[in-house]
Amino acid sequence: MSLRIATFNVENLMTRFDFTGFRNQLRQDRVIKLFEVRSEGVYQQLEQARVIASTDDTRQMTALAIADADADILCLQEIDNMEALQAFEYGYLFRMVGTGYRQKYLVEGNDSRGIDVAVLMREETRDGQKIELKEIKSHAMTTYRDLGLFDENLAATSHIDDKIFKRDCLELDLLVGGLPMTLYVVHFKSMGSPRDGLDGRRYTMPVRRAEARAVRRIIEDRFGAGHTAGKRFVICGDMNDYQERVDVIGARRAGYTFDHQVESESALDVFSHDGFSENVVRRRDPLDRWTLYHARGPEEQWLCQLDYIWLSPALAKANAGRLPEIVRNGQPYRTVFPPGQEVERYPRTGWDRPKASDHCPVVMTLDLI
């Protein structure tokens, strides 16, 4: 019996317009900056037109990427609310996959912009095995004090009674063909901008490390510390950190070289350092593990993995011969692909936008035994 599971940050599936760019230039879209707009009313009209015009292409590509992942269970990040998810599923995804995802789950979390994690599930796997939700639990209200995770590294940016998860850790107890499996869906703290002499990743790493420690603690409290290896659990989501990256060196005209770098420190070491779980994407070639292209001009560009499927030791062992897939057809043309990885882009893909998302879906077929 097999189950196909995927994770995908769909990038701002929103139902709201953001008009703050009229007064805050940092939040104003670059195309609006090409024009002199003195009236806030005119600005709002232009912004509405811009968003509506671009969103249709974007969401068609998002739906195509999800259709290509072809998962039985789909873990999503950056969903505005259930209404947005239902509108997208009915208006776009249904046209690609039909009435596939009848089970939809979302709990409002902590993000200041209102973006949440969500799960879409088929009623049955491709093998015809029933997928049942037994229980769903949000951990959005859990604080550092609750789990005893506050330390001096957090003191510079947080308080002991702050909520650990900047969005949520959504816990779903499932039965798949009668077999139990527990799914954890997360979206960790973003890296942000440099501060206090540190780059954004280093500055925010204590928060992400605490989130990872909290996920592990939740699992260990659930199954018993030292007794998790034989359980079926999966941790999915955008974790906004990486343990390695591929530096992209060069420019379009001169050509590119690719340099694989292993990071000395990552918040995700919490999951991997002692075999607690396996990042199955690391089964792929080192240059072929990326799910996001980062660039701030030719001097700063790299490929890295931000999107993860972590398997419990039992599931990893049962699926030792399987490889995860990464759907990159929705990436914009500015993304630099290492040799041999080029894909056919979706129709109407742009240089920078429209695109399916800045992230790529990660999907894997699991044998449940």
Side-chain angles (χ1 to χ4, degrees), residues 245-251 255-259 293-294 297-303 336-338:
R245 75 184 197 194
V246 177
D247 288 342
V248 180
I249 304 165
Y256 298 98
T257 59
F258 301 87
D259 186 17
Y293 170 66
H294 165 88
E299 294 78 24
E300 182 181 309
Q301 49 185 339
W302 62 73
L303 302 160
V336 182
F337 283 66

Side-chain angles (χ1 to χ4, degrees), residues 96-114:
M96 308 292 176
V97 302
T99 56
Y101 297 104
R102 292 184 179 273
Q103 303 184 71
K104 304 177 184 68
Y105 304 101
L106 180 149
V107 177
E108 296 291 333
N110 299 321
D111 186 86
S112 60
R113 292 192 297 133

Side-chain angles (χ1 to χ4, degrees), residues 18-31:
D18 181 1
F19 299 128
T20 58
F22 181 73
R23 303 184 185 282
N24 183 350
Q25 291 287 313
L26 295 176
R27 303 195 66 169
Q28 189 173 114
D29 187 81
R30 65 192 184 213
V31 71

Side-chain angles (χ1 to χ4, degrees), residues 141-165:
M141 296 298 106
T142 304
T143 67
Y144 295 116
R145 186 191 297 274
D146 291 335
L147 297 184
L149 293 179
F150 197 74
D151 59 29
E152 61 181 12
N153 293 318
L154 288 163
T157 60
S158 308
H159 299 93
I160 191 169
D161 290 314
D162 287 349
K163 297 163 187 172
I164 295 176
F165 296 108

Side-chain angles (χ1 to χ4, degrees), residues 13 21 24 80-82 89-90 102 185 191 201 209 227 239 348 361-362:
L13 181 59
N24 183 350
D80 194 2
N81 50 44
M82 182 58 77
E89 194 273 338
Y90 179 76
R102 292 184 179 273
V185 187
M191 296 186 205
R201 177 171 177 263
R209 183 181 290 113
H227 300 283
M239 301 190 181
R348 296 175 65 85
V362 180

